[in-house]
Amino acid sequence: MNNILKIIKDSQKNGKLIGICLKRIVWENRQIGIVKIINEKEITISLIDRYSRKLKDKKVSISDIKYIEMGGQYLEGLENLYKSKIFNQKISVKYVRYYNDKHAHFLKKISILKENKNICTFFLGDNYITGKILDFSENDLLIKGISFNGIEDSIQSILLKQLTTIRYNGKDEIKIEFLNNVS
């Protein structure tokens, strides 16, 4: 328990986010936040969501903490988002849908997204790719993939007819763009 308490105290002292798993280590159920109060048996943590928006304060028994982390790419990215308050402003999500009979209109929208260097999510039925349009033709797109941490990844090409929708200016795209710009 000594190292868990050490990380808790370091995070509070330095104003750093922590991620904790309670009772069982399940990554999807990890709780992330800022330590507000520490006493002998419990802490009060100000929880945030994956967009760094404050959720609520929660009391946690130190003995229930089975895993704790501080620092690292994901938490530091969330910390930067939290400090930026980027999600305090209203978000207007935009969509571009692909229809065979409106191909020229679709290509015009793609040209604008490429020119503006928008980060987009490209939906392909049940799958999706997030990234920036590098180039396009009458038949396909060339995309620079970007991970959810904002790190540029592979270059991908997809046929336009495989696309169902392009989303941009949504919470995920804004978060990824912010993280991409600070990485």
Side-chain angles (χ1 to χ4, degrees), residues 4-88:
I4 288 175
L5 195 54
K6 182 182 180 316
I7 291 174
I8 290 169
K9 288 179 179 179
D10 285 351
S11 72
Q12 185 187 40
K13 177 183 172 188
N14 297 309
K16 296 284 189 186
L17 287 177
I18 59 169
I20 58 174
C21 291
L22 304 174
K23 299 182 182 172
R24 290 185 29 222
I25 299 173
V26 180
W27 302 121
E28 295 79 33
N29 297 337
R30 176 177 51 167
Q31 298 181 30
I32 296 172
I34 297 172
V35 176
K36 295 293 184 185
I37 301 168
I38 304 171
N39 67 38
E40 288 179 28
K41 296 185 180 193
E42 68 181 18
I43 63 172
T44 301
I45 183 170
S46 183
L47 296 174
I48 63 170
D49 69 9
R50 68 187 187 123
Y51 302 107
S52 74
R53 294 176 300 192
K54 186 174 185 221
L55 297 172
K56 63 181 178 179
D57 288 351
K58 179 177 183 174
K59 290 186 183 212
V60 174
S61 173
I62 294 171
S63 64
D64 285 344
I65 299 173
K66 303 305 178 209
Y67 170 85
I68 187 167
E69 66 181 325
M70 179 178 71
Q73 200 170 53
Y74 183 70
L75 290 180
E76 287 175 4
L78 275 180
E79 213 168 278
N80 287 331
L81 275 171
Y82 182 77
K83 290 174 183 171
S84 78
K85 302 191 184 305
I86 197 166
F87 288 109
N88 288 356

Side-chain angles (χ1 to χ4, degrees), residues 92-164:
S92 178
V93 183
K94 309 273 192 237
Y95 295 92
V96 179
R97 302 205 192 286
Y98 180 75
Y99 300 102
N100 278 332
D101 59 338
K102 298 191 179 184
H103 191 74
H105 175 73
F106 188 71
L107 290 176
K108 193 180 290 185
K109 290 281 193 178
I110 287 174
S111 178
I112 293 167
L113 292 171
K114 177 184 181 250
E115 185 179 312
N116 293 337
K117 299 179 181 175
N118 290 90
I119 291 183
C120 304
T121 300
F122 304 89
F123 292 95
L124 312 147
D126 293 338
N127 297 308
Y128 66 91
I129 299 166
T130 302
K132 293 179 186 177
I133 300 170
L134 297 176
D135 202 3
F136 66 97
S137 72
E138 287 284 321
N139 301 313
D140 66 358
L141 286 176
L142 187 63
I143 299 167
K144 179 65 170 177
I146 302 175
S147 74
F148 70 94
N149 285 341
I151 297 170
E152 294 189 3
D153 201 3
S154 61
I155 294 177
Q156 304 162 40
S157 178
I158 54 173
L159 294 174
L160 291 179
K161 290 184 178 186
Q162 297 301 308
L163 276 173
T164 54

